[in-house]
Structures are given as structure tokens and as C-alpha cells.
Amino acid sequence: MPETAAAPPTPPIPLAALLAREDLGLRQIAGPVEAGAAVHMVHTSEMADPFPYLLGGELLLSAGVLLKDPDRYVSRIVQAGATALGFGLAPVYDTVPADLIEACDRHGLPLLEVPPQTTFTAVARAVWRLMAEARHRELRRVTQAQQGLAAAAARPDPVPAVLHQLAVRLEGWAVLLGPDGTELSSSGRVPSPEARAGVIRLARVVSPGTGPSPRPTPASATDTVSPPSASEPGAAGPAGPGVAAVSHFSAYALGGSRGLVLGLAAPAREAGDHTVAGVAVVLLSLLTAPHQGADAAGRSAALVRMLLGASPAKTAPLLGPGPWRVVHGQGGDDSPFAATALGAALGSALVDPDADGCVRVLLPAEREVGAQPGWTLGVSAPALPEELAAADAQAARTVRRATATRKALVRHRDTAPVSLDEARHRLAPLADSPALVETLRTWLSLHGSWDRTAAAMEIHRNTVRQRIARCQTLLDEDLDDADVRMELWFALRHG
């Protein structure tokens, strides 16, 4: 499994942190001074138009060797999504050109002056070092949070203890909500009424409800708002006395808990917060899982009989009408509770750990299946009880494909036509990057040929590969899958 399946992503570094390095001597001379500006990578280019080689989030370094039209140059950098431009003094220019400064101010691009004694290599090295330090800090924080949550789960009052530990670690408010939005338990500084309403609204997004036909829902949802300032009418500051000011909300459906939802509200969201919340979700799912009743016992009996070779006709009455999904899991840790924890995270007590290391989980089709840290998952299409043998084979094939392609989760794809609304929703993660959209469109139209796509777009083939890899990450799709390519092509053509 790739490390990113269980570890938080490498956080970008604030542009301000780079400017604060006295040894570099960088100075911002144009563009907005934004506290949230972040550098994801460093790229050096002396091309007249570096746009084809930019992915977004870069600090672009240049000495202006081929700088002829500053306005177009800056506009193309902004169009590519770069964070800032670092302009090196000497050997080409003794001072930063005035028309470049004006262009950066006009287009809203931060412009940094790089003094002659500071090499571009030194700037890049400083960025990587700051990123490494930030990642190490985040990994330590996440590890300590995991240990604290595990210790809290062992207390006599585990649910309130886990919520308290989560609120402390995220410096916010943690609440356990019932399917109707009722607050069952909470911990942390009480947020404003608006923040509380925001968390409850997100809880409705992830809660499938408790009716006879629960709707399919995502496993989690997040939202960000700007807290009111003291200057706004009717606002007495960001929050009243004893009330926390928050701007980030999130909600997570708990597996196997009949519609329970974990809600979070915090003033900020760090790179590892989702990982910390995921640990809490697994623990709370285990702690709040209801005792197995008659229905669940019947389903367990049906699964056992199926695994022992009973016919679908005999097991269907015990399972209920369905539809169901079969999930195959590979990986996990070496503990004897790994399979049970996976079932709890997915919301099912129907778990079968095979001798070959594969864990099979059977769960209702409406339950959303998300990637689980440390696991490689293959998910079948929805199936009626009499179709479960075929669904089991689908899950086995998809988990093999996930392992081969190093994906955390692969689903058996339904080849039903994609509607226009679905197409637009599917491409939404690329909406802010026209360059990625056009690259994906061209690449798909040329049947995935790197060389022909590079020639058609007049960019380097490595840039094509980088952009397609970025598309695959943002879309969370397997672009090696022919069905996925077909559906994305439909979405691009008609969305």
C-alpha cells in the first residue's frame, strides 16, 4: 500500500514562511500579500511561455532570459495556477523590470525579488526542507492523536472520552448526532448557533436516515465559511464570550450505528485532520455498534451458510430482499481485530476473514464504501441475494486490480449511461483548471497516447503525464479502466 493511504498528505508551506527566511533575502515587491498563499512545489523555467509545464501551486523561478511581453507572461502564469513568481537579479537584469511589477500587480500575482547572492537551488532546497519539517510535525501530531484516541476508547466512559480527545486534538467542537440531528454527546468549546446549524446540515448530507429505503450517501462531507468580523452589523466579534469562532465544518457517517454521525467544527483544518477524524470514526463505530438482534443474527447465519456452500435460494430469506454489496479487503494490520474493525468502519457485522489474508464484508448496497487507511478494497456492484456469488467474484477481481494499480479502492463499474448532471458533477474537481480539462480531453480523444497528445497541445510529453496523473488524483478515478475513459469522454463531450 502507498504511504498516503494511511498517512496525512505533505502540507504545502505558506509563502510567508519562505519570505521569513533571512538567509534567502527574498522580498515581495508586487502582487497581493495573502496570508493563505501556499507553495506546493518549486519550478525553474527560462521559457518565454512556461504555461505548458505548470501544474498549479508552484513558486516559479526565472531570471527573465526570454522575457519579452511581461503582461502575457504573467497572465499565462496566473492562468496555470502558479502561486508566485520569483525573479532573480543578475546576470540578465540588475533590477526587476517595472513593466513586470505592474503586470503582477494588475493580475494579482505575488512577485518576489531574488537577490544575486541567492541561487535558485537554495530557494528550492529551502522549500523542500520547510515541507519536510511540516510533514514531520504533522506525522507526529497525527501519531500522538491516534494514541490519545485509542487510550480514550479504553476508558469506562469511552464515547465522551473519545469526543473530548478529538475536540482537544483538533482545537474545536466534536459532537455525536442521532439520525434526526439530536445531539447525543459533545465536547469542546461550544460553537456559535450558525456553526452548530452548519454541522447539523452536513450531518443530513451523510446520514442515510432510518426509513425502509435509506438513500445512498457519501461517507463524509466538509464545508468552509468565513466567520463574521467585529465590523459587520450585529456582530460582537467573531464569537461571544466562551463561544468558539469556527470556519471549518465536517461530518462523518459512523459504520454500523444506525444513522449516527460524528460532527466537527474547528477554526482551521490541517493536512492530517482528516486522518485523525478517520481514527475517531472507526473507534466510535465500534463503540456505538448495536448488539446483534434477530435480523442481524439471521444475516450472519445466511452468510455462514453461503460460505459453506448453501444455495442462494435457501439463504435469500435469511438475508432479506437486498440489494447488497460484497467488499474484498487486502492489507490491514496484524491484530486479531483488524477484520472486525474493517467491518465496523464499513458499517457491517457480516465479516469473513479468509485464511489467505482476504477479508470479505457483506453490507447493504445503499451504504457508501470509502477508502480505509491501510486497506486495499475491491467493491462489487449492487446485487440481490441470488446474485451474491457473481458479486463475490466481482469484488475478487476489483481487489486484484486495486492491488495491481496501487489503488486504495476500486469499484466494479456500472456501464449505465451517464446523465448530463452526473457528467458535470464528475468533472467538478477540474473546474478551476482549464489546462487539466483540455489535456484530459485531448488525451482521451487520442486514445491515451502521450506523444500524440504532447504534439497536439505543443507541450512536453512529461507534462502530459504529470497533468493526467493530477487529473486521476483529483477525479479519484482509475484512468487505466476502459469504462472510466469512456464515461469521462462522454462527460467532457456533453457536460
Side-chain angles (χ1 to χ4, degrees):
M1 281 295 296
E3 183 186 15
T4 53
T10 299
I13 64 164
L15 184 61
L18 197 61
L19 289 168
R21 289 284 298 261
E22 296 182 359
D23 57 318
L24 297 177
L26 304 179
R27 185 168 64 96
Q28 182 171 348
I29 59 175
V33 180
E34 299 179 356
V39 176
H40 293 258
M41 65 192 81
V42 178
H43 183 71
T44 301
S45 174
E46 295 301 341
M47 299 184 68
D49 180 13
F51 173 87
Y53 296 89
L54 300 179
L55 297 175
E58 297 94 346
L59 168 61
L60 176 65
L61 300 175
S62 174
V65 174
L66 297 179
L67 181 65
K68 295 181 174 60
D69 185 347
D71 187 78
R72 183 177 184 279
Y73 180 78
V74 172
S75 69
R76 293 283 283 171
I77 294 173
V78 171
Q79 183 182 354
T83 296
L85 170 64
F87 194 86
L89 301 182
V92 182
Y93 291 89
D94 294 331
T95 59
V96 180
D99 46 3
L100 180 63
I101 296 175
E102 294 172 0
C104 287
D105 279 330
R106 185 162 51 252
H107 292 282
L109 178 69
L111 175 62
L112 312 185
E113 180 186 81
V114 183
Q117 68 272 16
T118 301
T119 64
F120 287 173
T121 301
V123 176
R125 185 178 299 166
V127 169
W128 305 137
R129 184 176 290 116
L130 287 170
M131 283 185 169
E133 292 171 355
R135 179 165 175 76
H136 290 156
R137 286 195 301 270
E138 196 65 12
L139 285 171
R140 280 197 304 271
R141 186 179 74 90
V142 169
T143 300
Q144 292 168 356
Q146 290 174 333
Q147 294 170 346
L149 289 167
R155 290 174 56 89
D157 52 347
V159 171
V162 169
L163 291 174
H164 172 72
Q165 187 67 214
L166 188 59
V168 170
R169 297 293 177 176
L170 302 185
E171 299 181 357
W173 182 61
V175 60
L176 183 65
L177 299 169
D180 58 353
T182 303
E183 182 179 320
L184 304 178
S185 182
S186 66
S187 184
R189 292 186 61 194
V190 179
S192 66
E194 294 79 11
R196 186 187 295 267
V199 171
I200 294 175
R201 175 177 55 80
L202 283 184
R204 296 193 190 101
V205 173
V206 303
S207 176
T210 57
S213 300
R215 57 186 175 84
T217 59
S220 63
T222 61
D223 196 9
T224 303
V225 299
S226 299
S229 65
S231 61
E232 293 181 3
V243 177
V246 301
S247 58
H248 294 264
F249 311 139
S250 54
Y252 299 83
L254 300 190
S257 54
R258 297 177 180 174
L260 297 186
V261 174
L262 170 65
L264 300 172
R269 186 173 177 85
E270 303 298 333
D273 286 353
H274 183 71
T275 303
V276 174
V279 174
V281 167
V282 173
L283 291 173
L284 290 171
S285 296
L286 291 169
L287 294 170
T288 60
H291 293 294
Q292 189 162 283
D295 290 344
R299 292 172 182 173
S300 294
L303 179 62
V304 170
R305 293 184 191 183
M306 242 178 46
L307 294 174
L308 293 176
S311 69
K314 293 182 178 179
T315 57
L318 293 172
L319 281 173
W324 300 83
R325 290 186 193 274
V326 180
V327 179
H328 280 212
Q330 295 277 4
D333 55 40
D334 296 329
S335 75
F337 309 109
T340 303
L342 176 62
L346 296 179
S348 176
L350 305 181
V351 179
D352 172 54
D354 283 352
D356 61 359
C358 178
V359 176
R360 290 197 278 185
V361 182
L362 185 67
L363 70 162
E366 69 269 9
R367 172 62 65 183
E368 181 72 17
V369 179
Q372 301 298 321
W375 289 93
T376 300
L377 302 181
V379 185
S380 76
L384 297 174
E386 59 269 22
E387 301 168 336
L388 284 174
D392 185 54
Q394 289 175 359
R397 288 195 299 271
T398 53
V399 78
R400 287 196 297 268
R401 184 172 184 82
T403 301
T405 57
R406 298 184 179 181
K407 298 289 184 183
L409 183 148
V410 171
R411 306 175 193 275
H412 179 82
R413 303 203 62 83
D414 187 348
T415 56
V418 180
S419 70
L420 292 183
D421 287 342
E422 290 171 335
R424 295 188 184 99
H425 177 74
R426 196 161 185 175
L427 293 171
L430 304 183
D432 295 332
S433 182
L436 292 182
V437 172
E438 188 56 33
T439 303
L440 180 60
R441 188 197 313 276
T442 305
W443 184 73
L444 290 173
S445 72
L446 296 174
H447 308 290
S449 170
W450 309 109
D451 292 329
R452 292 170 62 192
T453 303
M457 298 190 68
E458 298 182 349
I459 59 178
H460 196 277
R461 70 192 306 271
N462 287 343
T463 303
V464 176
R465 288 183 179 275
Q466 292 170 349
R467 289 186 181 178
I468 295 301
R470 185 79 177 274
C471 289
Q472 181 161 280
T473 299
L474 293 174
L475 295 173
D476 192 23
E477 299 280 9
D478 180 6
L479 296 182
D480 292 327
D481 190 316
D483 289 336
V484 172
R485 294 194 189 193
M486 177 189 69
E487 293 168 5
L488 288 176
W489 176 246
F490 177 89
L492 288 165
R493 287 289 302 271
H494 303 286

